[in-house]
Amino acid sequence: MRDFLPADKARRERVLAVIRERYRAHGFDEIETPVMEDYDRLHAGIGGDNEKLSFSILKRGMDAEAIRAAADDPAALADLGLRYDLTVPLARFYATNRAQLPTVFRAIQMAPVWRAERPQKGRYRQFLQCDIDIIGDASARAEAELMIASLDVLDTLGLEGGSIRVNDRRVLDAMLDVFGFAAEERPGVLITIDKLDKVGPSGVVAELRERGAAVEAVDALASYLDRPAGTPTFDDAGIRAALPAGIPDEVIAHLVALGETVAAARGADAPLVFDPFLVRGMGYYTGTIFELAHPSVDYSLGGGGRYDGMIGRFLGQQVPAVGFSIGFERIVDLLPDADAAGERSVVLVHDRDVPLAQLLALKSHLVEGGARVRVEQRPKNMKALLERSAADGYGAFAPVGVGTTPETLELRPLS
């Protein structure tokens, strides 16, 4: 969990403002949910490994004897926990407020979440998530809207050239069925396949053999991985060519419709890449899954997928849902420090004898004109003051002496 100095906080807020504005422009509405959820909801088996990283909150009023008696049962010690993502709270929010929401609900959530991670570079115990979700639309249009809006965010932030890797959990299930993996071993097989980018085909095959997976199935997968293959085009012919025979037509049709919809909005060179071995680890995904990539880095900048089964856990009836989480912390690290509002940020450096009324009148005049203004008394080390002001995002300074007026105020650039 981190502190943020003023310049860091300002930079983060600028990025958040862009994300919020672009998502709202695409028809999403922002909501807010509590930082805590019921313990049972956070540990309902829908959060995957994140459930193991949940921070639990001790029940109020428990004395030492009660704590000792419940020491072996976490559920008896805690009735609440800090949210570890924004998807579980959204499902509960929708189930609670459905009567007041539109049939197809497009939600924005931008808020901190907490996980008991082992602290290391890029791994934080508190971090910000920026999610958009569409609830109530089972068509490929929902996925397309998420992708188009998120690519627009990247473009607006100056990170043009982003692309999205796409797959479908139904494709993965069908492929494993074609290869001959038994249903009970498929979760472990997917965990191994998810390492394909890191260990390569030979590493995946070797690990599956070590795990004792069905020999014939591993042989079939190995043969498939060894086939000559380029980057498949995102159309019916390209997707079918990248897959073994036996994949359901309706799944391929869903992916093709998604590609056509994104292409209509983004142009003929729509940046979608079909990846039949994209897995994503969340167990609640039921259909399309995707990850946001950018050529400047070798890791994803976000991702998501369809989770049609989750809301039904709380509502008692199935509701289609799909979401996209943009990697805020990673994106912030990619952006330059420049403050677009720097030219309207001014430091008034005044002499000791300037009357307070005159000084604050000058400040008010600039603020009314739309500037951000800081007042500083002239120090002995003027250079240090100006360097600190520039680091804080200010773009100009102005010396103020007795008798300085708005008309005679001289703005000087800090760089």
Side-chain angles (χ1 to χ4, degrees), residues 57-317:
I57 297 172
L58 189 69
K59 287 181 179 179
R60 277 76 57 214
M62 294 187 73
D63 57 22
E65 183 178 347
I67 292 173
R68 283 193 294 270
D72 295 329
D73 183 6
L77 286 170
D79 55 359
L80 296 168
L82 294 177
R83 62 190 177 206
Y84 48 72
D85 72 4
L86 298 177
T87 307
V88 173
L90 175 65
R92 193 267 315 150
F93 171 92
Y94 182 83
T96 303
N97 300 285
R98 185 184 186 188
Q100 303 172 63
L101 299 173
T103 304
V104 176
F105 180 49
R106 295 168 174 82
I108 307 170
Q109 289 187 94
M110 302 198 301
V113 299
W114 292 266
R115 297 178 190 172
E117 295 275 10
R118 179 177 299 172
Q120 55 185 295
K121 181 176 175 58
R123 291 281 186 179
Y124 307 114
R125 290 184 170 179
Q126 176 179 314
F127 56 96
L128 202 69
Q129 282 195 335
C130 297
D131 287 11
I132 50 173
D133 295 79
I134 297 180
I135 301 175
D137 187 347
S139 74
R141 183 186 71 175
E143 284 97 323
E145 285 196 58
L146 298 179
M147 293 178 183
I148 292 164
S150 297
L151 288 168
D152 186 18
V153 167
L154 280 197
D155 292 346
T156 305
L157 289 170
L159 295 173
E160 296 91 347
S163 61
I164 298 178
R165 297 165 62 208
V166 183
N167 196 15
D168 195 298
R169 275 300 179 93
R170 295 168 296 177
V171 166
L172 287 166
D173 287 340
M175 288 175 65
L176 296 186
D177 185 54
V178 168
F179 294 142
F181 289 102
E184 61 272 13
E185 64 181 343
R186 290 179 190 175
V189 172
L190 287 177
I191 290 173
T192 300
I193 289 176
D194 198 24
K195 302 175 184 178
L196 185 61
D197 288 345
K198 297 179 180 178
V199 302
S202 60
V204 166
V205 170
E207 182 171 321
L208 288 176
R209 296 196 191 283
E210 290 174 7
R211 294 172 66 100
V215 175
E216 298 83 357
V218 176
D219 289 343
L221 173 61
S223 177
Y224 178 73
L225 290 173
D226 286 341
R227 80 200 190 289
T231 302
T233 54
F234 208 98
D235 54 23
D236 186 84
I239 292 172
R240 289 184 184 278
L243 295 171
I247 307 302
D249 288 339
E250 62 270 19
V251 178
I252 295 176
H254 183 87
L255 291 169
V256 171
L258 171 59
E260 292 173 348
T261 306
V262 174
R266 296 283 300 186
D269 296 326
L272 299 189
V273 178
F274 178 61
D275 182 350
F277 289 107
L278 175 64
V279 175
R280 290 193 63 80
M282 297 310 296
Y284 52 64
Y285 289 136
T286 59
T288 320
I289 49 177
F290 32 83
E291 286 190 348
L292 181 62
H294 193 268
S296 64
V297 292
D298 59 1
Y299 48 80
S300 70
L301 295 181
R306 183 166 284 280
Y307 53 97
D308 288 347
M310 182 185 291
I311 294 175
R313 299 281 292 270
F314 305 118
L315 194 59
Q317 64 183 87

